Amino acid sequence: MASQTVTAKQLEVQRIVDVLSRAIAQHRLKPGTRLIEAQIVETLQANRNHVQVALQRLAMQRIITIEPNRGAMVSQPSAREAREVFAARRAIERAIVECITPAIMQKQHERISRHLNNERAATNATDRRAIVRELSEFHLMLGEICGNTVLSEILANLMVRSSLIVALYQRNDVPSCASDEHQDIITALQQGERDKAVAVMLEHLDELEAQLALEQQPEPDINLREALAGL
Ligand SMILES: [Zn+2]
């Protein structure tokens, strides 16, 4: 964002966008959930106009969908969009990993080890929301430390959309990232083996995508025809 004057309104809209994005990313608000404006105004103690602007912004980011006469709801990405989001993640996260030098790793050492500890603690416990949050936080952290804010902003959007996709298509209830792979990426980056870090990241993203049941997407038209055939 340009460093012109940030108005109180902009800050307030951003606060609403952040709260809603976080709730969606952590599966507190599931795909298809209706977002009633009056309830958001009340719960977040916000101004109606600010809520409307925030919802418009989330709609532009494809995180929510606004339908005429039906209002806003949390988006339900199609199987095709899910594949496209993962293709975009492969491109963006490769670029992010390529930006991270051993010097950055050294400078961010404390933050990284704190995160890996939190992640291990979460995956050893059973709080599903904490697991989802920590595993996604790993990817966001790499985006933040890489030093390129454009890549980091694009990734933030893709991560919320990935959460929606996982909520809709995950085959089973297991957490989607493996901590070991995260650790392997970190180790490679610390040793300055960026090619290896990129390879592990791409493999990791392929695995995440493979855990999605994208081919089983219901196709209402065909099912309806099949269901009615011969009756
Ligand atoms: Zn991961």
Side-chain angles (χ1 to χ4, degrees):
M1 207 181 294
S3 59
Q4 290 159 352
T5 47
V6 178
T7 64
K9 177 180 172 176
Q10 283 171 320
L11 284 174
E12 177 58 3
V13 168
Q14 192 57 48
R15 175 183 77 95
I16 302 164
V17 167
D18 288 345
V19 171
L20 291 173
S21 300
R22 215 176 308 129
I24 292 168
Q26 294 179 15
H27 298 169
R28 286 167 195 267
L29 292 173
K30 297 209 182 330
T33 305
R34 296 222 161 276
L35 298 167
I36 319 273
E37 212 177 272
Q39 288 177 3
I40 300 170
V41 167
E42 192 191 318
T43 317
L44 300 185
Q45 308 222 322
N47 163 308
R48 176 172 288 271
N49 173 260
H50 294 166
V51 169
Q52 281 168 351
V53 177
L55 291 176
Q56 293 290 346
R57 191 174 301 170
L58 288 164
M60 274 195 296
Q61 296 173 2
R62 305 271 184 265
I63 292 169
I64 71 166
T65 307
I66 299 177
E67 288 177 353
N69 306 322
R70 297 186 69 201
M73 66 158 109
V74 180
S75 292
Q76 297 176 289
S78 65
R80 182 197 166 126
E81 185 177 332
R83 289 198 186 89
E84 290 175 350
V85 165
F86 270 89
R89 278 189 66 180
R90 277 189 285 273
I92 295 297
E93 296 198 59
R94 163 195 276 270
I96 284 171
V97 167
E98 281 172 348
C99 288
I100 302 177
T101 60
I104 291 179
M105 293 302 285
Q106 211 167 357
K107 197 169 157 221
Q108 300 287 342
H109 180 72
E110 249 177 70
R111 178 178 180 185
I112 294 166
S113 38
R114 202 181 326 122
H115 170 80
L116 290 175
N117 286 335
N118 290 345
E119 191 178 299
R120 266 181 233 112
T123 46
N124 288 334
T126 49
D127 180 354
R128 210 172 169 281
R129 268 184 202 155
I131 298 175
V132 169
R133 184 185 65 232
E134 292 301 331
L135 293 177
S136 139
E137 183 60 35
F138 173 81
H139 293 263
L140 291 168
M141 175 182 73
L142 293 185
E144 282 169 22
I145 68 173
C146 86
N148 182 326
T149 47
V150 176
L151 289 176
S152 147
E153 279 168 13
I154 297 173
L155 181 69
N157 172 262
L158 293 174
M159 290 306 293
V160 180
R161 294 167 75 176
S162 288
S163 288
L164 288 173
I165 290 162
V166 165
L168 281 169
Y169 296 107
Q170 185 78 11
R171 275 178 213 281
N172 38 41
D173 216 28
V174 296
S176 46
C177 290
S179 271
D180 294 357
E181 290 166 7
H182 287 178
Q183 178 65 63
D184 290 348
I185 293 166
I186 292 299
T187 306
L189 284 173
Q190 279 166 339
Q191 294 170 347
E193 297 177 343
R194 266 182 274 177
D195 289 350
K196 186 181 172 193
V198 165
V200 180
M201 176 59 92
L202 294 179
E203 215 176 292
H204 178 56
L205 292 172
D206 284 346
E207 261 174 57
L208 297 190
E209 190 176 354
Q211 288 173 27
L212 304 172
L214 296 178
E215 72 289 349
Q216 288 167 9
Q217 207 200 11
E219 292 182 47
D221 290 347
I222 292 168
N223 288 348
L224 184 64
R225 255 184 252 125
E226 277 175 6
L228 298 180
L231 288 180

